[in-house]
């Protein structure tokens, strides 16, 4: 297991020869613990309404420039069928924190997916109450994704304000999701203004402590209609301490996460592909990642789901997203995963 000082020194390493060693170690651990299969998850961005005011996200409630949409259950089912048609084992339903999706309506939709298909269902719907999360789990939802965004509590409070008198504590929520029997996924952004190398090392520590089954990391990408793209919005820290929001830094975090949480699922994220269109997702597959999430959202909606600008594949059809993912897996010399692609780490715990 890596020690903290080793993590910090890898994060600051820029020599390509030395980094080649990190990539190779991460790739080897990935191969040993999760194999060569790359699991595909069909991502459906079901609504871009959001009640929150996150300083980083283009969907924040006060951004009037967004055309808001909420997909109907029938439209979502069409995307689910497409994902199944492509042979995926999982659909991921993601949205802003949108109470226009009532808990019972979501439970009905989960039931419908489970009645009609054998797909695993992942939810990424923000900070809903324990009652709602339990209802969805009972309806058959398998997994929940909730990034804690950063381990630095002061920075977190600044960029992700609490709401309605309820303190936002995503670490506590992840523990409760775990107890409810969800396969839990989390992650953080890399290169948030005000985020230090120590903070990123803390993120990696937290991934291990939280016993996560999925860990997604992506570079922070400033969105011009958000406070965090403006100077002075974040605490200023010494320039030598500030983590850059580059693809290279993100890949170091992916590789170190793989070395730390060996049997977890790690996606090669869209944010990474957005910054490095030609090679981002393929490189991440060679540096620890084992999951791709092709976007199944109909293009007319997808255009409006602008959490950050110039999102990769924004004008692509689901068919194109699927073909691209297959080509990337081929380029990486890997195989398409079959079945649900549960994390071996989760399956081992469930068998106990
Ligand atoms: N409403 C849900 C889903 C949010 S979108 C939730 O809050 O959990 C999924 C992820 O996109 C977020 O967790 C965040 O890590 C990432 N994201 C949002 N804005 C971003 C930006 N400007 N740059 C990079 N990643 C961003």
């Amino acid at each position: 297991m890596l020690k903290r000082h080793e993590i910090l020194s890898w994060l600051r390493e820029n020599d390509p020869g030395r980094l080649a060693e990190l990539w190779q170690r991460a790739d080897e651990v990935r191969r040993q613990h999760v194999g060569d299969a790359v699991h595909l998850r069909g991502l459906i961005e079901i609504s871009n309404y959001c009640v929150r005011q996150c300083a980083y996200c283009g969907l924040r409630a006060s951004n009037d420039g967004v055309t808001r949409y909420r997909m109907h259950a029938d439209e979502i089912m069409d995307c689910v069928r497409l994902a199944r048609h492509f042979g995926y084992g999982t659909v991921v339903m993601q949205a802003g924190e949108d109470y226009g999706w009532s808990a019972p309506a979501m439970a009905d939709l989960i039931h419908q997916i489970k009645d009609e298909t054998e797909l695993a269902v992942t939810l990424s719907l923000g900070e809903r109450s324990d009652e709602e999360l339990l209802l969805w789990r009972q309806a058959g939802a398998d997994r929940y994704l909730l990034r804690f965004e950063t381990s630095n509590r002061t920075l977190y409070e600044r960029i992700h304000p609490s709401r309605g008198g309820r303190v936002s504590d995503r670490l506590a929520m992840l523990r409760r999701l775990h107890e409810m029997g969800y396969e839990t996924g989390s992650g953080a952004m890399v290169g948030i203004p005000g985020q230090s190398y120590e903070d990123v090392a803390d993120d990696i520590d937290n991934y291990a402590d939280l016993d996560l089954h999925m860990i997604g990391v992506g570079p922070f990408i400033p969105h011009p209609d958000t406070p965090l793209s403006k100077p002075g919005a974040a605490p200023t820290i010494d320039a030598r301490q500030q983590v850059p929001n580059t693809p290279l830094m993100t890949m170091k975090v992916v590789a170190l996460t793989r070395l730390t949480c060996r049997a977890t699922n790690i996606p090669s994220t869209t944010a990474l592909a957005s910054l490095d269109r030609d090679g981002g997702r393929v490189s991440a597959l060679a540096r620890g990642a084992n999951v791709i999430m092709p976007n199944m959202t109909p293009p007319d909606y997808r255009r409006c789901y602008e959490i950050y600008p110039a999102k990769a594949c924004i004008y692509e059809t689901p068919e194109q997203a699927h073909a691209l993912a297959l080509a990337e897996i081929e380029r990486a010399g890997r195989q398409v995963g079959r079945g649900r692609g549960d994390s071996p780490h989760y399956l081992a715990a469930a068998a106990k």
Side-chain angles (χ1 to χ4, degrees):
M1 199 56 93
L2 287 172
K3 301 207 171 55
R4 188 179 174 92
H5 73 88
E6 294 174 298
I7 291 180
L8 282 167
S9 102
W10 277 121
L11 289 172
R12 288 193 180 272
E13 181 63 62
N14 281 319
D15 176 68
R18 292 274 295 140
L19 283 172
E21 186 193 319
L22 176 64
W23 310 143
Q24 202 249 320
R25 278 171 64 186
D27 199 39
E28 182 58 24
V29 168
R30 185 271 309 153
R31 198 181 56 72
Q32 277 172 12
H33 290 264
V34 294
D36 280 340
V38 177
H39 300 289
L40 296 171
R41 325 285 201 206
L43 175 65
I44 314 171
E45 294 156 336
I46 64 171
S47 162
N48 70 353
Y49 282 92
C50 191
V51 297
R52 301 203 81 106
Q53 294 292 3
C54 304
Y56 46 89
C57 181
L59 302 184
R60 67 203 303 271
S62 61
N63 185 2
D64 298 333
V66 181
T67 308
R68 304 280 171 174
Y69 71 87
R70 182 176 298 123
M71 288 173 70
H72 288 283
D74 291 347
E75 295 174 296
I76 297 170
M77 284 308 296
D78 285 342
C79 301
V80 169
R81 291 181 194 114
L82 197 57
R84 186 186 49 182
H85 168 74
F86 289 145
Y88 301 172
T90 302
V91 283
V92 180
M93 292 193 279
Q94 192 183 77
E97 201 168 301
D98 175 18
Y99 293 87
W101 264 106
S102 73
M106 178 50 63
D108 285 347
L109 177 59
I110 296 164
H111 273 300
Q112 201 182 340
I113 298 173
K114 287 288 173 178
D115 286 347
E116 203 186 299
T117 76
E118 63 306 324
L119 295 173
V121 172
T122 304
L123 304 176
S124 178
L125 303 173
E127 295 166 51
R128 304 288 293 239
S129 71
D130 287 0
E131 292 71 34
E132 293 173 307
L133 297 169
L134 208 50
L135 183 73
W136 296 339
R137 175 77 187 129
Q138 284 157 356
D142 300 275
R143 310 182 184 137
Y144 206 94
L145 288 181
L146 185 82
R147 289 188 176 178
F148 58 73
E149 315 297 2
T150 170
S151 309
N152 177 331
R153 186 71 212 173
T154 314
L155 180 59
Y156 179 74
E157 281 169 11
R158 196 119 166 212
I159 65 171
H160 186 102
S162 292
R163 193 187 146 262
R166 228 176 87 200
V167 174
S168 171
D169 187 346
R170 288 189 164 205
L171 298 184
M173 192 175 147
L174 285 162
R175 292 195 184 91
R176 288 198 300 277
L177 286 162
H178 219 299
E179 281 164 20
M180 290 179 203
Y182 280 99
E183 247 183 284
T184 49
S186 191
M189 291 181 282
V190 175
I192 307 166
Q195 185 184 38
S196 70
Y197 285 84
E198 296 280 345
D199 293 338
V200 173
D202 287 344
D203 292 345
I204 296 172
D205 280 350
N206 264 323
Y207 299 151
D209 284 353
L210 285 164
D211 207 14
L212 297 169
H213 308 113
M214 298 164 278
I215 302 163
V217 293
F220 164 69
I221 305 174
H223 187 302
D225 301 331
T226 60
L228 210 53
S229 72
K230 313 277 185 303
T236 33
I237 56 170
D238 189 300
R240 280 165 307 175
Q241 287 302 320
Q242 172 66 49
V243 168
N245 62 337
T246 55
L248 180 65
M249 183 56 68
T250 308
M251 294 213 219
K252 290 186 209 173
V253 180
V254 166
L256 293 166
T257 302
R258 173 59 71 202
L259 293 179
T260 309
C261 308
R262 300 172 157 231
T264 198
N265 281 325
I266 303 183
S268 179
T269 56
T270 313
L272 196 50
S274 297
L275 288 192
D276 181 356
R277 257 163 221 270
D278 292 331
R281 279 207 311 210
V282 179
S283 309
L285 287 180
R287 295 167 179 186
N290 71 321
V291 169
I292 293 183
M293 296 165 65
N295 199 322
M296 297 291 109
T297 316
D300 285 348
Y301 293 135
R302 188 185 309 195
R303 262 191 281 288
C304 303
Y305 198 83
E306 207 186 42
I307 48 189
Y308 43 80
K311 228 173 69 177
C313 344
I314 206 155
Y315 295 110
E316 261 169 21
T317 62
E319 286 76 11
Q320 288 166 327
H322 176 58
L324 180 67
L326 294 187
E328 288 171 334
I329 294 172
E330 168 123 32
R331 264 169 72 198
R334 304 264 281 279
Q335 294 96 47
V336 176
R338 301 269 163 241
R340 291 166 35 123
D342 292 300
S343 100
H345 174 53
Y346 176 78
L347 293 176
K352 273 187 199 150

